Amino acid sequence: MNTVKEFAERIFQNVEQVMVGKRSAVELVLVALLCRGHLLIEDVPGTGKTVLAKSIARSIGSSFKRIQFTPDLLPSDVTGISIFNQQNHEFEFRPGPIFAQIVLADEINRATPKTQSAMLEAMEERQITVDGTTYGLPAPFIVLATQNPIEYEGTFPLPEAQLDRFLLRLHMGYPDRIDEIAILKRQRQAHPLEHLHPVTQIEDLLQFQAAIKEIYVDDLISEYIVTLAGATRHHEDVYLGASARGSLALYRTAQAWAAIHGRDYVTPDDVKTLALPVLGHRMIISPAARIRSVTPAAVITDVLAAVAVPGARAGRRYDRAGM
């Protein structure tokens, strides 16, 4: 494989043996992988969140662990614990499920804030500290967290500081009628996931994680990204807008999005496509706007309509043969 696009196509074709009609969701997961970021999948049960995470892990040949978050889950259940070995009279560290390259944090909002906070160091620093000793996590390391947006009874909503650490948020949605019929046929005898094999290597992913940083972003595009993020901070329906981390996330994800579509430069359309998945969960809608059922999607739509799209810069010649 010589290009990011070829790398992405191999994964798309493999995952589509299991996931039907979810190309856009798979693209966003791949963007998160290439950007070394974490993903929050928010949708009702039964829409394929767990299957998506497992199929991506199997496609790239990575280690995979699933953590079912519950109110009685302890931080040590996530990070691991030191146990006294009576044979050598020493404490030995037993790694928790966080020590995997792809970690599925299922229903993360059902755990207590103390347990949720145990994920923060791992997600941000890619390391955990137990009994004063720091342990590095494997590379690549990505957390795919899920939460049910309907049932809030007995849950602990993620604080804004933790939401901001997710690079992207996506919604799976129900499958179309034709896609749902195809799912029934594919699972008539066995689940397609059982026969899914790796189509790439971890080394390829690590190589392309570095390669996307070379995707060209014009100064006008950078200004456009900053202006969009700034517009969320001054929107009349927003109490707290996207942070500077949101601008950086939009910048980096646009580079990855361009690369998986075969371009070595970012366009305004790339930024517009990723605006909602990147910025939507980084805003707090004002109480008055919530009464009127204003959503982050509506705010992003307003912002995209209000901010002028930058034109082409004279003298710049784009080369499509790069990535």
Side-chain angles (χ1 to χ4, degrees):
M1 283 178 290
N2 299 320
T3 68
V4 177
K5 184 178 181 180
E6 292 174 353
F7 168 80
E9 284 299 327
R10 283 177 178 259
I11 295 178
F12 291 149
Q13 293 175 12
N14 202 47
V15 173
E16 284 174 351
Q17 298 179 46
V18 180
M19 302 294 298
V20 181
K22 299 297 181 183
R23 173 79 177 223
S24 59
V26 178
E27 286 180 331
L28 290 178
V29 175
L30 191 54
V31 165
L33 278 173
L34 289 170
C35 295
R36 301 177 71 243
H38 309 291
L39 193 72
L40 179 63
I41 308 175
E42 195 173 72
D43 222 317
V44 297
T47 52
K49 301 185 292 292
T50 302
V51 173
L52 174 61
K54 287 184 176 180
S55 59
I56 290 290
R58 293 195 181 187
S59 295
I60 64 175
S62 69
S63 58
F64 174 83
K65 292 289 180 64
R66 177 179 179 270
I67 308 173
Q68 180 63 54
F69 281 74
T70 57
D72 60 349
L73 189 75
L74 299 175
S76 58
D77 295 329
V78 175
T79 60
I81 191 171
S82 295
I83 298 178
F84 185 73
N85 189 323
Q86 294 184 352
Q87 293 182 348
N88 55 20
H89 302 286
E90 293 181 351
F91 281 94
E92 294 181 351
F93 177 66
R94 300 287 178 87
I98 195 68
F99 285 86
Q101 292 167 321
I102 292 184
V103 177
L104 176 63
D106 212 358
E107 295 186 295
I108 190 172
N109 58 330
R110 291 200 176 278
T112 61
K114 185 176 182 179
T115 302
Q116 291 176 5
S117 65
M119 301 286 294
L120 287 178
E121 182 186 11
M123 292 171 62
E124 187 68 17
E125 305 296 336
R126 285 172 168 77
Q127 64 183 28
I128 60 103
T129 302
V130 177
D131 296 333
T133 304
T134 300
Y135 303 91
L137 295 172
F141 173 73
I142 178 174
V143 173
L144 301 181
T146 72
Q147 63 177 6
N148 185 347
I150 305 300
E151 293 182 345
Y152 288 107
E153 184 177 354
T155 64
F156 303 87
L158 296 177
E160 298 305 317
Q162 191 163 345
L163 278 175
D164 202 33
R165 280 167 170 75
F166 287 100
L167 182 73
L168 295 158
R169 180 178 66 176
L170 67 88
H171 301 271
M172 299 289 291
Y174 289 115
D176 295 335
R177 177 182 173 84
I178 296 178
D179 293 335
E180 194 164 356
I181 292 174
I183 292 172
L184 299 181
K185 292 181 177 179
R186 290 188 182 189
Q187 298 190 28
R188 180 172 52 190
Q189 294 181 339
H191 200 294
L193 191 62
E194 298 175 4
H195 307 289
L196 209 63
H197 301 288
V199 293
T200 185
Q201 299 177 347
I202 290 296
E203 291 73 17
D204 294 322
L205 175 60
L206 296 175
Q207 172 191 343
F208 291 130
Q209 284 179 341
I212 65 163
K213 297 179 181 179
E214 304 301 323
I215 299 296
Y216 177 78
V217 183
D218 194 271
D219 289 344
L220 290 176
I221 300 293
S222 298
E223 294 174 8
Y224 182 52
I225 290 172
V226 172
T227 303
L228 287 175
T232 65
R233 302 165 195 164
H234 301 97
H235 194 280
E236 61 181 1
D237 292 327
V238 177
Y239 174 73
L240 186 67
S243 65
R245 183 184 286 153
S247 300
L248 182 59
L250 191 52
Y251 182 97
R252 188 68 71 203
T253 54
Q255 288 180 301
W257 186 268
I260 66 176
H261 289 88
R263 285 180 279 106
D264 67 341
Y265 60 92
V266 173
T267 68
D269 284 341
D270 298 332
V271 177
K272 293 169 72 174
T273 299
L274 293 164
L276 179 58
V278 173
L279 301 180
H281 62 290
R282 303 176 192 271
M283 300 182 300
I284 300 179
I285 304 299
S286 66
R290 285 201 299 268
I291 293 175
R292 294 185 282 109
S293 300
V294 174
T295 63
V299 173
I300 293 296
T301 300
D302 289 346
V303 167
L304 290 175
V307 177
V309 178
R313 181 182 293 276
R316 169 63 180 165
R317 181 177 179 272
Y318 293 121
D319 180 13
R320 293 178 178 270
M323 295 300 294

